[in-house]
Amino acid sequence: MKKVLARLAVVGAATVLAGGLAVGVAPGAALAAGCVGTNNTDVNVPDLGTAESTIVISGCAGNAAAASTVEVHIVHAYRGDLVVSLVAPSGTVYVLQSRQGGSADNVDQTYTANLSAQAANGTWRLRVQDAAATDAGFVNTWTLTLAVTPLCSRTNDTDTTVPDNGTVTSTLAVAGCAGNASATATVALNIVHTYSGDLVVSLVAPDGSVYVLQNRQGGSADNIVKTLTVNLSSEVRNGTWSLRVQDASPADKGYLNSWTLSL
């Protein structure tokens, strides 16, 4: 089968380990700088065995998208023998095809996978299992397009008083931002207060999960004006997010000037 996809930097050839596991991992791993990677090193799929081919993604901030794609080209005389899966860097397995196609030759297909719960960067593996005897083949090439969704940003710049020894909440409604938030989401704070060490500042996700951003730090210094990075990759982006500001000590007070959430 003619290879028509662009070749990335590849070192060495795939190896076959004891027990029939063929692995295209360094040597044989494709290194991708960006959100799209291809490995076009042939990896044998032994009869009644399992093969893996890897792509290392780097420089692709945030989580993958709900509409990520896996383009797979496998040469095999009986594709109904095959179970084809994508394994994320976290170890989560996404079954793309399970013994479909009967006696037809080869697998040439692009699958859509919801990978929004997965960080984009890391080592991704295509796992191909031959689950029936007689036929064998090889992984010819595969391409992973993580289609990382851009950050969704929302700002609330309505002044909200933070009472002495009290708590205030400011909300942001996020809509039209598919998938999960980023592992490198940010919260930009602008709080005016005469004693920043009095304050406990937390982000509350739509599902009620609480992320403490600052807990009585800063001593007698005025105000909190900073941007904090938070791993929100387990959270769905759409919904109502809340910033909770608690004044935990008497004498001083202030107000929430504005905050910006970039998911």
Side-chain angles (χ1 to χ4, degrees):
M1 179 176 179
K2 185 177 179 180
K3 298 176 186 175
V4 296
L5 298 176
R7 189 177 186 86
L8 297 181
V10 177
V11 181
T15 58
V16 179
L17 304 181
L21 177 64
V23 188
V25 185
L31 306 178
C35 299
V36 180
T38 296
N39 190 334
N40 54 12
T41 297
D42 291 350
V43 180
N44 288 329
V45 180
D47 189 27
L48 284 178
T50 299
E52 289 189 353
S53 173
T54 66
I55 291 173
V56 180
I57 298 289
S58 64
C60 189
N63 276 31
S68 298
T69 61
V70 189
E71 181 181 351
V72 177
H73 298 279
I74 302 170
V75 177
H76 198 277
Y78 198 102
R79 69 185 183 197
D81 288 358
L82 302 179
V83 180
V84 183
S85 304
L86 178 70
V87 185
S90 67
T92 302
V93 178
Y94 297 83
V95 177
L96 306 176
Q97 177 169 318
S98 182
R99 305 199 64 180
Q100 297 163 301
S103 61
D105 291 347
N106 308 331
V107 175
D108 295 292
Q109 190 163 339
T110 298
Y111 307 90
T112 299
N114 182 353
L115 303 177
S116 60
Q118 304 297 328
N121 288 333
T123 300
W124 295 79
R125 292 176 285 155
L126 186 73
R127 178 180 295 162
V128 182
Q129 176 192 5
D130 185 317
T134 305
D135 298 283
F138 63 94
V139 178
N140 187 26
T141 184
W142 68 290
T143 296
L144 177 62
T145 303
L146 294 177
V148 172
T149 48
L151 291 176
C152 282
S153 295
R154 301 288 187 272
T155 297
N156 188 334
D157 57 4
T158 300
D159 289 353
T160 305
T161 299
V162 180
D164 189 27
N165 259 345
T167 300
V168 68
T169 298
S170 174
T171 62
L172 284 172
V174 176
C177 291
N180 279 33
S182 171
T184 55
T186 60
V187 185
L189 303 174
N190 189 329
I191 302 172
V192 177
H193 197 277
T194 53
Y195 199 101
S196 61
D198 286 358
L199 301 180
V200 181
V201 183
S202 304
L203 178 70
V204 184
D207 67 358
S209 298
V210 178
Y211 298 82
V212 177
L213 305 177
Q214 178 162 320
N215 189 357
R216 305 199 65 180
Q217 297 162 298
S220 61
D222 290 346
N223 309 330
I224 298 175
V225 182
K226 62 173 66 174
T227 298
L228 301 165
T229 299
V230 191
N231 182 353
L232 300 177
S233 59
S234 65
E235 304 291 346
V236 174
R237 297 202 285 185
N238 287 334
T240 299
W241 295 78
S242 302
L243 187 73
R244 182 184 297 161
V245 183
Q246 176 191 4
D247 185 318
S249 185
D252 297 276
K253 58 185 178 180
Y255 64 93
L256 173 60
N257 188 28
S258 67
W259 66 291
T260 297
L261 178 62
S262 296
L263 296 171

